[in-house]
Amino acid sequence: MRPERRSRVCILGATGSIGRQAQDVCAEHADRLEVVALSAGSDVAGLARAARRFDVRRLALADPARAHDPALAELPEGASVGFGAEAVEELAATCDADIVLVAIVGAAAIAPTLAALATGARVALANKECLVSAGNLVMDAAEPGQIIPVDSEHSAIFQCLRSGAPSELARIWLTCSGGPFRGYSRERLATVTADEALAHPTWTMGPKITIDSADLMNKGLEVIEATWLFGVDVSRVSVLIHPQSLIHSMVEFRDGATIAQLGAPDMRGPIRYALGYPERWEAASSAPDWREMGPITFDAPDLETFRCLGLALEAARVGGTLPCAMNAANEVANAAFREGRIPMTAIDEVVEAVMEVTTPTTAESLEQVLEVDARAREAASLAIGMIEL
Ligand code: NAD
Ligand code: MG
């Protein structure tokens, strides 16, 4: 039986890797989902294409400099478009969606996520930085069950947790492909280029998360994301290297039974699950034929080479505003690496330097979080300037 009314969907960050795949899922299930609002950072042409695809009139662009872009002429007739970070937040607050999918990259997603939560809409959350930087604020703003994870590992954990009660959970096994530089020494990691790092073995993703996946900061961010989403201490989240990326994560219960979620590496799976939950909707492609799969292997992460992961675990243990400063420093260092200004191993050096000068406190307000974020960005820029010289 089909629902009488389609769910109204707002996609924030509609032009990115996750955003475009979310568009595909919305098109695939057009009888269940109605796209009503879209936002992007600065990609006017991409936003215009998405708006025409679903005939959407409520739009926002985070980059205020796009207000005079000639590509705005390609928007559907009668479209209203706001400009600037506040316009994205306002769109989330006023678009009257049943589901807001947050696929913005970086800490820029914090305010729009809080705005979406305040409306009572389901938040399908792909963005992880908002939980790393402002996990307590985001979780305090959310009703139980209001956030459905989209990050593939967290979607897997969310699905596995349906096998037992929260009190029966012993440990989360967070799987990780190991990235393109698995097995590298620290010396060799120092020589890799942004182009090499952008060629991820399994997933096609946006540039920032592709670099985070290559230096394993992504897994560190995901550990912190898991602690907030599932209310577990960092000591109960273990990172497991699994290069085939077929097991998307596992949950171990107190009797030792370990439940895994497997599937093809395709982000449309977790996106579809978050939009359809608690139902499972049909997908165009089926599961792999497991008889044709090679061996599945596991290993421990190499914290000597991939120091970002260790720093993120430390930030998670200390808590307070330290993960926020760490995330901001990483956003700046990650961009500097992509611009060819610093080597990959300098990313963790910058993050560590910023963590050292940060005095962690309890994050009590959005203003305070944004202030810590801004100061950490300044400190990271200074540290990068010293390395560049
Ligand atoms: P992306 O760079 O491909 O897309 C980012 C989107 O956000 C674009 O639409 C862009 O226009 C918009 N944007 C950029 N800066 C903005 C700003 N300041 N304000 C508002 N909007 C802005 O990134 P992505 O790979 O799609 O990742 C998005 C988020 O999802 C990240 O937090 C990432 O960690 C998470 N995620 C991505 C994947 C993946 O496979 N790509 C998987 C799991 C989680
Ligand atoms: Mg992930």
Side-chain angles (χ1 to χ4, degrees):
M1 256 207 7
R2 291 283 183 273
E4 280 176 13
R5 186 176 78 80
R6 294 184 296 166
S7 295
R8 294 165 55 86
V9 180
C10 164
I11 308 175
L12 302 179
T15 59
S17 159
I18 293 290
R20 291 192 310 270
Q21 294 180 85
Q23 289 184 40
D24 292 344
V25 173
C26 289
E28 195 181 278
H29 292 284
D31 55 340
R32 294 166 158 133
L33 302 170
E34 178 190 7
V35 183
V36 296
L38 297 163
S39 85
S42 55
D43 180 1
V44 181
L47 186 68
R49 263 194 309 279
R52 285 200 311 274
R53 182 176 184 185
F54 297 100
D55 195 23
V56 175
R57 310 290 160 90
R58 292 291 316 272
L59 307 169
L61 279 156
D63 182 356
R66 302 291 151 169
H68 305 290
D69 196 303
L72 289 171
E74 294 165 29
L75 294 178
E77 215 172 298
S80 86
V81 49
F83 296 94
E86 307 72 31
V88 176
E89 203 180 323
E90 196 194 318
L91 186 77
T94 60
C95 68
D96 193 23
D98 301 301
I99 308 173
V100 178
L101 192 141
V102 184
I104 295 168
V105 61
I110 300 173
T113 301
L114 291 173
L117 286 169
T119 69
R122 170 183 302 179
V123 171
L125 190 60
N127 177 282
K128 59 196 82 182
E129 293 91 346
C130 71
L131 285 172
V132 174
S133 295
N136 61 331
L137 301 183
V138 171
M139 296 314 292
D140 280 355
E143 294 294 331
Q146 194 181 356
I147 298 177
I148 311 290
V150 171
D151 205 349
S152 59
E153 296 78 1
H154 304 74
S155 174
I157 295 160
F158 186 75
Q159 294 178 53
C160 294
L161 284 171
R162 293 176 81 175
S163 296
S167 60
E168 294 163 351
L169 169 67
R171 190 201 317 219
I172 287 171
W173 289 99
L174 192 68
T175 54
C176 171
S177 76
F181 309 128
R182 184 172 51 91
Y184 278 32
S185 65
R186 181 87 185 154
E187 292 68 38
R188 195 160 167 218
L189 191 70
T191 66
V192 305
T193 64
D195 283 347
E196 287 172 273
L198 288 167
H200 189 276
T202 326
W203 309 91
T204 311
M205 309 175 287
K208 192 255 174 186
I209 184 178
T210 303
I211 302 305
D212 283 341
S213 302
D215 65 20
L216 297 205
M217 179 55 97
N218 183 54
K219 214 43 60 176
L221 300 177
E222 290 187 351
V223 169
I224 302 175
E225 180 186 10
T227 63
W228 287 113
L229 284 172
F230 307 115
V232 296
D233 188 77
V234 60
S235 60
R236 294 208 290 159
V237 184
S238 301
V239 174
L240 180 66
I241 301 294
H242 163 50
Q244 298 80 22
S245 297
L246 292 170
I247 297 180
H248 299 321
S249 277
M250 311 194 283
V251 165
E252 181 183 321
F253 290 99
R254 64 184 178 192
D255 60 354
T258 302
I259 310 291
Q261 191 259 337
L262 287 78
D266 179 347
M267 284 308 297
R268 286 169 300 189
I271 293 169
R272 192 183 296 106
Y273 188 78
L275 296 177
Y277 179 83
E279 295 172 16
R280 286 187 182 274
W281 293 345
E282 59 279 3
S285 56
S286 50
D289 182 338
W290 302 105
R291 293 165 299 191
E292 288 164 16
M293 293 291 133
I296 283 180
T297 58
F298 301 120
D299 204 349
D302 172 2
L303 298 177
E304 306 263 306
T305 299
F306 300 100
R307 292 183 45 219
C308 281
L309 177 55
L311 290 170
L313 295 176
E314 187 194 328
R317 282 189 287 266
V318 175
T321 50
L322 194 59
C324 171
M326 179 209 65
N327 176 70
N330 179 59
E331 287 194 29
V332 175
N334 177 306
F337 171 72
R338 275 183 277 142
E339 290 157 12
R341 293 164 53 206
I342 57 170
M344 178 164 266
T345 44
I347 296 178
D348 59 63
E349 290 166 15
V350 170
V351 169
E352 186 172 27
V354 172
M355 284 172 66
E356 271 168 12
V357 298
T358 302
T359 311
T361 54
T362 310
E364 267 148 22
S365 67
L366 177 59
E367 294 67 38
Q368 192 194 347
V369 166
L370 297 180
E371 171 71 27
V372 171
D373 176 283
R375 258 189 280 128
R377 280 170 204 267
E378 278 168 30
S381 297
L382 276 176
I384 289 165
M386 314 249 287
I387 293 167
E388 273 184 315
L389 284 176

